[in-house]
Amino acid sequence: MVAFQGGCACGQVRYRMLSAPMFVHCCHCHDCQRQTGTAFVLNALIETDRIAVVSGQTALHGMPTDSGQPHDVARCAACGTAVWSHYGGRKVLSFVRAGTLDDPAALPPDVHIYTRSKLPWIALPSGVPAFEAYYDSKTLWPAESLERRRAMFR
Ligand SMILES: [Zn+2]
Ligand SMILES: [Zn+2]
């Protein structure tokens, strides 16, 4: 199994994903734009216990969100790079920032979401599902990923 590796900008935080993620989101919502300071965020969804922190310290930062749901972002304690986050207080599920992978191209998006706030000059590829807001994971995720998610919240 491929182990995806990555880390923060200063190099203190290094991590390994112990398996492929369940699904990869490219989120164009305004929260993600504000929090990253750019056009969208690329999140690889994986069980938190499948992230091995090889070195460094992360600190969780609670983010205000438009929905009011909790969003906790794990940042390198030294340089502040966001490496992953947890939505809705569900710490067992991590959204790994794919841009922190050593090979950021390794995990292309499986879906584009919240395209209603997508910046107008970004052209989405044909062949990747895209949704105005959120989407129905039950119809889009592979069966194996749905089973992994079920196992997490069992
Ligand atoms: Zn760092
Ligand atoms: Zn978003």
Side-chain angles (χ1 to χ4, degrees):
M1 182 58 84
V2 184
F4 301 97
Q5 312 187 67
C8 67
C10 81
Q12 292 192 28
V13 170
R14 292 289 306 162
Y15 67 85
R16 258 181 333 121
M17 294 166 66
L18 303 179
S19 76
M22 292 176 278
F23 218 65
V24 180
H25 289 173
C26 185
C27 186
H28 301 263
C29 84
H30 196 205
D31 277 338
C32 289
Q33 290 167 344
R34 224 172 359 224
Q35 290 171 14
T36 61
T38 181
F40 54 77
V41 75
L42 201 48
N43 280 326
L45 280 65
I46 191 167
E47 299 89 333
T48 300
D49 62 10
R50 294 193 188 192
I51 302 173
V53 178
V54 178
S55 67
Q57 296 278 329
T58 59
L60 283 182
H61 295 252
M63 290 286 149
T65 56
D66 285 340
S67 68
Q69 287 290 312
H71 181 209
D72 298 301
V73 179
R75 297 178 175 279
C76 168
C79 74
T81 301
V83 282
W84 53 77
S85 67
H86 313 288
Y87 282 90
R90 300 184 302 177
K91 298 280 198 308
V92 293
L93 174 60
S94 290
F95 287 58
V96 174
R97 300 292 184 267
T100 65
L101 292 168
D102 294 343
D103 177 11
L107 295 173
D110 295 310
V111 67
H112 289 269
I113 57 176
Y114 290 101
T115 60
R116 66 186 179 203
S117 45
K118 176 181 82 59
L119 299 190
W121 54 87
I122 291 179
L124 297 182
S126 59
V128 179
F131 297 90
E132 286 271 292
Y134 208 65
Y135 69 104
D136 182 14
S137 53
K138 285 188 187 66
T139 58
L140 223 58
W141 284 31
E144 189 205 343
S145 295
L146 288 170
E147 181 48 40
R148 280 168 63 182
R149 191 176 62 179
R150 268 192 297 273
M152 230 184 337
F153 294 112
R154 196 166 277 152

